Amino acid sequence: MFKISEFSKLSQVPAKTLRFYDQLELLKPAYTDQQSGYRYYTSEQLLQLHRILAFKDLGFTLEQIRQLLHDNVSPAEIRGMFRLKQAEVQRLVQSEMERLTRIEARLHQIERGGGELPSHEVLVKRVAPIMVLSLRETTSRASIPGLFEEIDTYLQWAGVPQTAPHMVVWHSCLECESSINLEVACPIPHQVPDSARYRTNVLPEMTVASVTHISRPELESAVSVDLGSWIEMNGYRINDEVPSREIYTPMQEDGKQIYVTESQMPIITAGVAL
């Protein structure tokens, strides 16, 4: 057996924490000397301690951990809990990474300051109507790559080769907070079977202010500053009747996938009634 100081050194858990776990009946010593009060542990108790620490790292409270240990939860049930908790932590990490990216993009916009000319070339063009297969969701930008893969799978099932770039149509959503009302679409040569999730529709013709840049669909881009400045300086207004679009064409650069992105903002001439 090991004295508490030895067990602490072996497990790299402070003796104070081990005494606290003893009080909570999370990890009782294998033997306690009634005269001296010294606590002694066995090497087998390291497994139980590691289980406690794993539960703790995954966010369970000490009370929850004690209940789990006392209920003698099976390894299969523990693995299931770990997977659920892991998914929760991954979502949290993804959310915080998205927040960090937004902060960095907005910091870049702030550092550019006012009065600076747009750094991207803006073009005005007429976009023709186009038939697409699409699915619409209220979600986050982080889900867009997965939605691209999902719609590709459906097109493959429908016998339509996916050769055209992916599109994202940004719909307004007054009630949305952190989520975004978007439509992932892919141009198709002919109509394919609709389902509860997918539908064939025609995106309308529109006049757009267009900017081509490098970006990733799951991350925000700073080109809105350039678009907004250009629209104001050139006597246009944003057409509220038509949602904006982005077209993503994947490319390989230095072994990494990047996206050549065309951002299309629908516009009308200032003073023209909608």
Side-chain angles (χ1 to χ4, degrees):
M1 287 196 209
F2 301 99
K3 294 187 296 184
I4 190 170
S5 58
E6 296 171 328
F7 192 72
S8 172
K9 191 171 185 177
L10 187 62
S11 64
Q12 297 184 337
V13 174
K16 181 179 180 181
T17 300
L18 294 173
R19 295 189 187 97
F20 184 52
Y21 288 171
D22 181 11
Q23 294 174 8
L24 294 178
E25 297 186 349
L26 278 175
L27 182 65
K28 302 292 291 182
Y31 171 72
T32 301
D33 189 303
Q34 297 301 318
Q35 293 184 345
S36 64
Y38 289 167
R39 297 170 172 86
Y40 294 90
Y41 297 83
T42 66
S43 58
E44 291 180 355
Q45 290 185 285
L46 285 171
L47 297 176
Q48 185 176 0
L49 179 58
H50 289 159
R51 181 177 289 192
I52 292 170
L53 296 177
F55 279 130
K56 187 177 178 183
D57 283 340
L58 289 172
F60 291 102
T61 67
L62 294 179
E63 180 59 36
Q64 289 172 327
I65 294 172
R66 181 171 65 176
Q67 188 63 45
L68 290 169
L69 295 175
H70 286 184
D71 288 347
N72 196 24
V73 178
S74 71
E77 290 174 310
I78 293 175
R79 281 194 297 271
M81 289 183 225
F82 281 1
R83 291 193 184 100
L84 289 174
K85 202 65 179 179
Q86 182 183 43
E88 179 183 331
V89 172
Q90 287 173 337
R91 286 193 296 270
L92 178 60
V93 170
Q94 181 64 45
S95 174
E96 292 304 306
M97 290 299 295
E98 289 179 41
R99 188 206 302 265
L100 179 60
T101 301
R102 290 196 299 270
I103 291 172
E104 291 174 346
R106 291 190 172 108
L107 179 60
H108 174 69
Q109 294 173 3
I110 292 170
E111 288 175 343
R112 284 179 56 181
E116 184 177 328
L117 292 176
S119 60
H120 293 90
E121 182 180 5
V122 180
L123 302 175
V124 175
K125 66 179 186 179
R126 194 71 179 170
V127 177
I130 184 170
M131 180 183 291
V132 297
L133 178 75
S134 68
L135 65 90
R136 187 165 174 174
E137 274 199 359
T138 299
T139 182
S140 68
R141 293 192 73 114
S143 67
I144 293 176
L147 294 175
F148 284 172
E149 293 180 6
E150 183 182 338
I151 202 168
D152 286 350
T153 301
Y154 189 80
L155 284 170
Q156 185 178 17
W157 171 84
V160 179
Q162 207 290 302
T163 56
H166 296 100
M167 305 174 67
V168 176
V169 182
W170 303 97
H171 296 275
S172 61
C173 182
L174 299 178
E175 295 79 18
C176 298
E177 294 183 4
S178 58
S179 298
I180 304 169
N181 187 357
L182 59 84
E183 186 176 3
V184 171
C186 194
I188 52 177
H190 55 79
Q191 188 165 349
V192 300
D194 287 351
S195 70
R197 184 160 176 77
Y198 304 97
R199 67 188 182 97
T200 299
N201 67 320
V202 177
L203 298 181
E205 180 181 20
M206 63 181 184
T207 300
V208 301
S210 169
V211 173
T212 300
H213 55 104
I214 302 297
S215 72
R216 290 163 53 189
E218 70 270 26
L219 302 178
E220 290 190 33
S221 169
V223 297
S224 59
V225 175
D226 293 337
L227 277 171
S229 299
W230 187 93
I231 289 170
E232 284 185 331
M233 289 189 299
N234 289 273
Y236 288 94
R237 292 168 48 207
I238 293 175
N239 186 349
D240 290 333
E241 300 296 318
V242 186
S244 61
R245 306 174 193 169
E246 284 184 324
I247 303 172
Y248 296 93
T249 303
M251 294 182 64
Q252 291 291 323
E253 184 177 271
D254 298 330
K256 297 181 180 179
Q257 181 167 282
I258 62 172
Y259 288 87
V260 177
T261 306
E262 183 186 356
S263 297
Q264 298 179 346
M265 182 63 65
I267 56 173
I268 59 172
T269 304
V272 174
L274 294 176

